Amino acid sequence: KKFIDTWFNIEFKTLTPNPGDNQNSFLNNSEEKRIVSLLESYYYSNQFFIPQGYLLKHAHRISHIPGIIIHGRLDVICSVEDSYRIAKKLPKAKLQIIEGAGHSYYDPLITKAMVKATRNLIKKINS
């Protein structure tokens, strides 16, 4: 129980610059906390089940697909440099660095960017 609470608290405090943005109904549900913590720790301990550099090495396979890469400037979990590297390999994708935003879709600025990007892609597909 202590491991789960510690993992969950560290993870959710680093998702956004303002941890208050991370509030969700499951945050108070101990079973959901346990599941999230165990799944995430399992993935971390297994290097997410992909070899180092795999995404960059194989990006050419999806280089024909349009997309939008959204990255929060204040993300302390994923490196903005990694987003730049993958964007260079995906010529049909656009990289958006969101000022003042962190890592999570709980971050209001990331949520807004994701909704806008989704709407723009739908328009593009339908035109």
Side-chain angles (χ1 to χ4, degrees), residues 23-75:
Q23 296 307 310
N24 194 314
S25 60
F26 78 85
L27 294 177
N28 296 318
N29 180 322
S30 61
E31 182 62 13
E32 293 287 341
K33 281 184 183 181
R34 185 178 78 78
I35 291 168
V36 167
S37 300
L38 291 174
L39 281 171
E40 286 189 355
S41 62
Y42 185 67
Y43 271 78
Y44 273 101
S45 66
N46 287 285
Q47 291 78 43
F48 299 92
F49 301 98
I50 57 174
Q52 183 75 24
Y54 182 87
L55 294 176
L56 282 173
K57 184 178 178 182
H58 297 280
H60 66 277
R61 294 179 177 179
I62 60 168
S63 63
H64 63 287
I65 300 173
I68 300 171
I69 301 164
I70 297 170
H71 193 107
R73 171 80 65 200
L74 303 177
D75 186 338

Side-chain angles (χ1 to χ4, degrees), residues 74-90:
L74 303 177
D75 186 338
V76 296
I77 297 172
C78 294
S79 161
V80 71
E81 289 84 9
D82 287 342
S83 290
Y84 279 117
R85 281 189 215 109
I86 197 76
K88 284 184 177 183
K89 301 269 186 173
L90 301 173

